[in-house]
Amino acid sequence: MRQRTQWSAVLAVGLFLTAGCGSAAGPGPRSGGSGDKLVVWDWKSGDAKAAGYVREAKADFAKKHPGVDVEFVAQPFDQYYTLLGAAIQAGRGPDVVLFNGGGQIRDRADALAPLDSYVAEDRQRLAGWDAFTKAGKVYAEPVTLQGHPVYYNKDLYRRAGLDPDAPAATWDGFVRDCATVTAKTGARCFALGNKEGIGIQFWLSALGSAVLTPQEYDDWIGGKRDWSSPDVRRIFELWGQAGESGLNTDGANSTAMFNDAFAAFDSGKAANVIGLMSDVGHWKDFAEFLEPENVGVRNAPVVNPAARPSLPYDGGIGYAVAKWTKDPKLAADLVRSLTSPGALKAFYLDGGAIAADTTIDTSAGGPAVTSIVAGVKSGKPALHVALSSKTVDLMGRLSQQLLSGSTTVDDVLRQLASSDKTG
């Protein structure tokens, strides 16, 4: 692991000494002349489904700054934050940077330029700002909304003799339905991949509102997290019990969430999966394999009668401006083009992203996206997004140990509480 990290750092240095130096046009303010250039780092622009989005964003920016070249450098996601960390340490690199909402951007806010004075006109049109905000300042403009619906395969429910339009509303009923599906079709209850430690993030946020009371939920998001609460404990107990009782597909700790777990759901090996609402592992991807009418979307089944299940979502991904860029306003204009109505509409149509632009018409997207968009109105922020990236990483490692039976829920909660307290 150390060797890989060192290699990533070396690669990062090479990248921003070649293609990554967006500020190489020279000192002083940019005039928009032909020698100017902005460099964007992300992990999306190399995806064929994002081609239309990038094209629309570039066209929008070119109208405002026709002499400025824009170069996208798509980085591998599994190395992205390591590469970015090397750039931040060196104090040079791309002008515009893509971030996940939550801890990943908040932990690096000191390396970014606040955007409040540049994006005021977009505040009403776009949603998801809180995930890119720290200490009252906005550090990125949201591109997508990201959340964790529970998807289910209506065809498997139908083949098991269950009503696909009325899935069980309680956890006990849900588990009974899963047993029926397995007995009649051989499919497991959940498709799960936790090789990267990501599965627990989806589990915590998807099931959280079905276990925590509304007050507990709001306190968690507000930073008043009680890791000793019986309801918090219940979420992690269920994680371990789902593995022990065979609800999950086999080998969860050796299965990648992206995209092996989703492939298991696509192929009918599991009746349910906690997926995403944008990007990948979402309604549009599943519909290509299962047919749109067979992709069901539901809230998590109620575990605690005092809970009020809702769709967990936040700002998904957003573009920020590096503090070292020579012209923050110019870079902020590019960020605004990356969130322009035309660009975000293309991202929705081509990639199935639930865009942060609430004015986009999604009515023709099919029943699954209709359910998701309706859930946004009463949704709440995802629980794992409120945690620091350090605590999220620790939770991933501990979740693997819980699944393997090599640790206890008490030890997991003790370590997470300590990590959360120290930030």
Side-chain angles (χ1 to χ4, degrees):
M1 182 62 70
R2 183 179 300 127
Q3 184 179 20
R4 180 178 179 182
T5 302
Q6 290 171 345
W7 170 244
S8 297
V10 170
L11 178 59
V13 172
L15 282 168
F16 58 69
L17 286 178
T18 54
C21 281
S23 300
R30 297 178 187 270
S31 62
S34 60
D36 287 333
K37 179 178 180 180
L38 291 175
V39 171
V40 181
W41 274 17
D42 62 19
W43 62 88
K44 298 299 297 182
S45 56
D47 187 341
K49 293 181 179 180
Y53 164 68
V54 172
R55 184 170 58 251
E56 291 289 338
K58 280 188 168 183
D60 184 84
F61 183 73
K63 292 176 183 177
K64 298 179 287 188
H65 302 283
V68 180
D69 182 35
V70 177
E71 178 184 2
F72 283 81
V73 180
Q75 309 286 13
F77 182 71
D78 62 346
Q79 300 176 36
Y80 185 78
Y81 288 107
T82 300
L83 295 170
L84 184 57
I88 290 172
Q89 187 174 12
R92 58 184 299 207
D95 301 279
V96 173
V97 188
L98 184 64
F99 276 97
N100 295 104
Q104 295 289 10
I105 189 168
R106 293 182 186 126
D107 291 352
R108 297 167 175 84
D110 289 346
L112 305 174
L115 299 183
D116 302 80
S117 62
Y118 305 118
V119 301
E121 293 180 25
D122 300 332
R123 292 304 295 261
Q124 294 301 312
R125 179 175 60 87
L126 301 178
W129 293 95
D130 288 350
F132 304 101
T133 301
K134 181 178 181 180
K137 294 181 180 180
V138 171
Y139 288 95
E141 192 160 65
V143 172
T144 66
L145 300 181
Q146 189 59 280
H148 304 280
V150 179
Y151 293 95
Y152 66 100
N153 184 331
K154 290 188 174 184
D155 183 55
L156 285 177
Y157 273 64
R158 192 178 297 112
R159 286 164 50 193
L162 301 171
D163 184 350
D165 296 317
T170 66
W171 178 260
D172 289 343
F174 173 75
V175 172
R176 285 194 296 271
D177 281 357
C178 282
T180 300
V181 170
T182 299
K184 296 292 182 64
T185 72
R188 294 292 180 86
C189 186
F190 283 111
L192 178 63
N194 198 47
K195 183 177 181 179
E196 315 95 327
I198 296 175
I200 188 63
Q201 299 176 32
F202 288 33
W203 183 270
L204 171 64
S205 288
L207 263 67
S209 66
V211 182
L212 304 183
T213 67
Q215 186 61 57
E216 285 178 316
Y217 200 106
D218 292 345
D219 285 347
W220 179 289
I221 299 300
K224 300 175 182 178
R225 291 179 280 276
D226 181 4
W227 291 93
S228 64
S229 159
D231 290 335
V232 173
R233 179 186 176 83
R234 185 66 175 141
I235 296 172
F236 288 86
E237 285 177 340
L238 288 174
W239 169 263
Q241 290 169 8
E244 292 169 2
S245 60
L247 293 183
N248 302 328
T249 45
D250 291 336
N253 275 345
S254 58
T255 301
M257 172 71 77
F258 302 98
N259 285 307
D260 293 347
F262 298 135
F265 179 69
D266 287 334
S267 61
K269 294 179 180 178
N272 307 273
V273 68
I274 300 171
L276 300 172
M277 56 191 265
S278 290
D279 300 314
V280 296
H282 65 329
W283 59 276
K284 191 175 181 71
D285 283 351
F286 297 147
E288 292 178 5
F289 293 89
L290 304 179
E291 301 299 333
E293 64 272 14
N294 285 327
V295 181
V297 177
R298 55 162 300 157
N299 285 331
V302 174
V303 178
N304 177 2
R308 297 292 179 268
S310 60
L311 175 68
Y313 84 95
D314 295 88
I317 56 174
Y319 283 97
V321 172
K323 183 178 285 186
W324 54 71
T325 190
K326 290 292 194 298
D327 190 338
K329 184 180 185 305
L330 183 70
D333 276 353
L334 177 55
V335 167
R336 296 194 65 205
S337 291
L338 287 161
T339 58
S340 60
L344 294 186
K345 184 177 181 180
F347 207 8
Y348 161 70
L349 291 174
D350 297 342
I354 304 298
D357 189 338
T358 57
T359 67
I360 293 174
D361 181 9
T362 61
S363 59
V369 72
T370 298
S371 296
I372 291 169
V373 171
V376 166
K377 296 177 182 178
S378 59
K380 289 189 173 186
L383 296 177
H384 78 271
V385 177
L387 303 174
S388 70
S389 58
K390 182 187 78 170
T391 300
V392 167
D393 288 345
L394 175 62
M395 185 170 67
R397 296 192 297 274
L398 294 175
S399 73
Q400 294 170 331
Q401 295 173 27
L402 262 183
L403 280 184
S404 68
S406 60
T407 191
T408 65
V409 172
D410 286 336
D411 188 51
V412 166
L413 294 177
R414 179 186 59 77
Q415 290 191 55
L416 291 175
S418 177
S419 176
D420 193 25
K421 183 177 181 180
T422 59

